[in-house]
Amino acid sequence: MNRRTVLAGVAVLVTGLTLAGCSSSDDKPDLKVTGAFMPQPASDMAAGFLVIENGGTADRLTSVTSPISDDVTIHETKDQAMRMVTSFDVPANGELRLERGGKHIMFMQLKERPRQGDKVSVELHFEKADPIKVDLPVKESTYNPKKQ
Ligand code: CU
């Protein structure tokens, strides 16, 4: 490859990146969080639920952090038992649903016990996309948006 070819290649790359930044991006995840909540906890453990909509390419939710707990993990429920997982798929042009009876965020050893009406801030970390900060409104302990 001669020098001219290399320069042409760089120009194409730069142009490509600029376009990706302006478009709604077909080549990276495009994530939006909806329906987030935390049922008011009855002990020093709490769960969090939300939906991550993805209008772009596939990504993975890899971890969650929160000032309310130093022990936040992601769990799925199989055969009525919870188990910790290392990541959840956020499918391309699809959604990841964390909901009652299924996948959820697990907060252990709460530093304080949030009450209905409070907000708990969390940061979602992804394999590709930038972290997203979300406030989980604390709802009554039996709250389930599916049953509204
Ligand atoms: Cu759990």
Side-chain angles (χ1 to χ4, degrees), residues 75-83 99 101-104:
H75 283 187
E76 65 182 8
T77 309
K78 280 247 168 86
D79 302 325
Q80 310 202 339
M82 300 192 301
R83 67 183 185 109
E99 55 192 6
K103 297 166 180 163
H104 55 278

Side-chain angles (χ1 to χ4, degrees), residues 117-136:
D118 291 348
K119 282 190 171 156
V120 173
S121 94
V122 299
E123 190 166 87
L124 309 173
H125 300 264
F126 299 93
E127 192 174 81
K128 296 184 188 129
D130 290 335
I132 298 178
K133 278 195 172 148
V134 197
D135 282 338
L136 309 186

Side-chain angles (χ1 to χ4, degrees), residues 7-47:
L7 285 176
V10 169
V12 168
L13 263 180
V14 169
T15 311
L17 286 173
T18 308
L19 286 176
C22 298
S23 76
S24 63
S25 76
D26 300 323
D27 56 353
K28 59 179 185 180
D30 181 11
L31 307 179
K32 194 178 119 194
V33 176
T34 61
F37 71 99
M38 171 185 282
Q40 181 175 297
S43 67
D44 69 343
M45 289 191 322

